[in-house]
């Protein structure tokens, strides 16, 4: 029995009906070895399906590969970094903002040198609309200005 994925079914159905297919992936699709450095470009290797990464990461990478095989050059892939903004209820950013406001030292991940590239939800929405309106094809990373985690915390204190 052949394994059928929803992306495959939808892409096959739409491939002769649309001029552009836009897929919102994630920087999580990249091979986890790439995350040690900031500024990963769109040509960096993707996570292997059989690799040790989380299912989410492997799934994003595999979806990209399958869609590209079906749709070819009519595919636009957008890979946002961590999306933050209005109505974001995830505790990670709020935790660091509250901690940064308090004086003194805090326990945090790593040594402060890990890269952080957050992106605002409004910027993601604007890019998606522009990509459709202008017929932009290809793969695009959507991340904020690369900074080290310590720089991010220092900026939050302002």
């Amino acid at each position: 029995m052949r394994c059928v994925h929803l992306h495959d079914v939808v892409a096959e159905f739409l491939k002769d009906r649309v001029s552009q297919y836009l897929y919102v992936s994630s920087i999580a699709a990249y091979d986890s070895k790439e995350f040690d450095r900031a500024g990963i470009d769109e040509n960096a290797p993707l996570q292997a399906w059989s690799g040790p990464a989380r299912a989410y990461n492997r799934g994003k990478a595999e979806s990209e590969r399958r869609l590209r095989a079906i749709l070819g050059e009519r595919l636009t892939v957008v890979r946002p970094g961590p999306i933050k903004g209005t109505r974001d209820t995830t505790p990670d950013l709020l935790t660091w903002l509250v901690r940064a406001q308090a004086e003194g030292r805090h326990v945090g991940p790593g040594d402060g040198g890990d890269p952080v590239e957050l992106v605002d939800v409004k910027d993601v929405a604007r890019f998606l609309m522009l990509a459709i309106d202008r017929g932009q094809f290809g793969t695009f990373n959507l991340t904020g200005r690369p900074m080290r985690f310590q720089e991010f915390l220092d900026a939050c204190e302002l």
Side-chain angles (χ1 to χ4, degrees), residues 27-35 44-66 79:
I27 60 166
Y30 288 115
D31 187 312
S32 58
K33 296 177 200 127
E34 297 295 317
F35 285 106
L46 296 179
Q47 196 65 249
W49 176 247
S50 60
R54 294 181 357 206
Y56 174 84
N57 302 40
R58 293 189 326 265
K60 285 294 189 179
E62 186 64 15
S63 293
E64 287 188 35
R65 284 188 285 270
R66 289 171 178 263
R79 295 180 186 142

Side-chain angles (χ1 to χ4, degrees), residues 97-153:
L97 292 173
V98 169
R99 287 181 182 179
Q101 284 183 333
E103 304 255 340
R105 296 176 55 122
H106 306 284
V107 175
D111 63 0
D114 293 339
V116 177
E117 296 181 37
L118 305 175
V119 62
D120 188 280
V121 66
K122 292 175 188 170
D123 293 332
V124 174
R126 280 187 207 99
F127 186 87
L128 296 177
M129 293 304 298
L130 285 172
I132 293 167
D133 287 346
R134 296 181 181 175
Q136 294 285 356
F137 298 97
T139 302
F140 303 91
N141 288 342
L142 295 181
T143 60
R145 180 181 65 82
M147 65 179 86
R148 300 287 167 203
F149 188 70
Q150 186 60 54
E151 290 177 80
F152 167 71
L153 291 179

Side-chain angles (χ1 to χ4, degrees), residues 1-125:
M1 182 172 152
R2 186 172 95 91
C3 181
V4 178
H5 294 271
L6 182 59
H7 289 309
D8 294 3
V9 174
V10 172
E12 285 290 347
F13 176 78
L14 292 175
K15 75 178 182 180
D16 296 324
R17 292 174 171 85
V18 298
S19 59
Q20 182 178 16
Y21 188 106
L22 188 142
Y23 176 63
V24 179
S25 185
S26 168
I27 60 166
Y30 288 115
D31 187 312
S32 58
K33 296 177 200 127
E34 297 295 317
F35 285 106
D36 290 342
R37 62 184 178 88
I40 299 171
D41 73 21
E42 290 83 354
N43 297 311
L46 296 179
Q47 196 65 249
W49 176 247
S50 60
R54 294 181 357 206
Y56 174 84
N57 302 40
R58 293 189 326 265
K60 285 294 189 179
E62 186 64 15
S63 293
E64 287 188 35
R65 284 188 285 270
R66 289 171 178 263
L67 289 170
R68 177 103 33 233
I70 294 168
L71 298 161
E73 298 300 314
R74 290 181 293 143
L75 177 64
T76 302
V77 175
V78 178
R79 295 180 186 142
I83 301 172
K84 301 297 172 191
T86 306
R87 298 190 182 136
D88 177 11
T89 59
T90 56
D92 55 346
L93 182 59
L94 180 59
T95 298
W96 295 115
L97 292 173
V98 169
R99 287 181 182 179
Q101 284 183 333
E103 304 255 340
R105 296 176 55 122
H106 306 284
V107 175
D111 63 0
D114 293 339
V116 177
E117 296 181 37
L118 305 175
V119 62
D120 188 280
V121 66
K122 292 175 188 170
D123 293 332
V124 174

